[in-house]
Amino acid sequence: MAQAMVERLNAQHWLLITSRASWERMEQAGAWAFADKSLKRASMLHRGTQGVVYCTGESSFAAVIEFTGEFRQHARSTVFGALYPHAMPFRVVAAPGFSLPMAAVVQTLDFIGKKDYWFSYLQGQALRPLSREDFHVLASRLQTKGAR
């Protein structure tokens, strides 16, 4: 059990949970913004870490990103001001121009144990480690129209 926790926290793949409006602002800025409460998990990200962007409100996945720089912990690097004073630069690997609904993939995702209650697995943390398998399921569906 302890080994599994260490592996999850050393994850190379993450689920990044935000709203559509926030995702669009971060995409335009080329930096993912973090609140103070996310610092512990955000500090586990590094250059080369990949993530899948999940948009709340519409219950869908929007993009695959890769972090390209170091975590910045000062207000001048922010995207959203004092509420999210930390940031990490990224590049978009895939953003197909459509949203991938959770309903289309929920049955194939291992991190969702009780498929009828999938929404409960997305609450509480804006950053969640993903297994390599779950990342590849989502990334392959989102890379349909290629990288940019």
Side-chain angles (χ1 to χ4, degrees):
M1 179 87 148
Q3 181 63 28
M5 177 64 82
V6 169
E7 288 173 8
R8 279 197 311 271
L9 296 180
N10 288 327
Q12 294 296 310
H13 305 102
W14 290 80
L15 183 62
L16 307 157
I17 303 169
T18 191
S19 68
R20 172 62 69 176
S22 293
W23 160 239
E24 289 172 354
R25 284 181 70 186
M26 289 186 282
E27 181 182 25
Q28 184 176 25
W32 196 271
F34 300 96
D36 287 336
K37 70 179 185 174
S38 298
L39 284 182
K40 186 174 182 180
R41 284 191 179 224
S43 68
M44 295 178 214
L45 304 173
H46 54 81
R47 180 177 289 143
T49 298
Q50 295 180 311
V52 176
V53 178
Y54 176 82
C55 294
T56 59
E58 60 188 53
S59 303
S60 66
F61 301 93
V64 178
I65 67 170
E66 180 178 349
F67 289 102
T68 59
E70 301 306 316
F71 184 70
R72 299 182 304 233
Q73 297 187 43
H74 52 82
R76 286 191 309 230
S77 68
T78 189
V79 175
F80 294 105
L83 186 58
Y84 297 93
H86 314 286
M88 190 168 186
F90 68 85
R91 73 179 182 92
V92 175
V93 174
F98 63 87
S99 295
L100 174 63
M102 173 62 88
V105 292
V106 68
Q107 297 300 322
T108 63
L109 297 173
D110 291 335
F111 84 95
I112 307 241
K114 296 181 180 181
K115 308 304 186 190
D116 290 340
Y117 301 98
W118 61 264
F119 47 86
S120 65
Y121 293 84
L122 302 174
Q123 296 175 359
Q125 294 289 332
L127 296 167
R128 294 202 171 271
L130 279 177
S131 69
R132 183 183 330 231
E133 294 78 17
D134 282 349
F135 173 79
H136 288 296
V137 164
L138 295 168
S140 67
R141 297 287 297 269
L142 287 165
Q143 290 177 340
T144 324
K145 294 190 179 181
R148 55 173 164 141

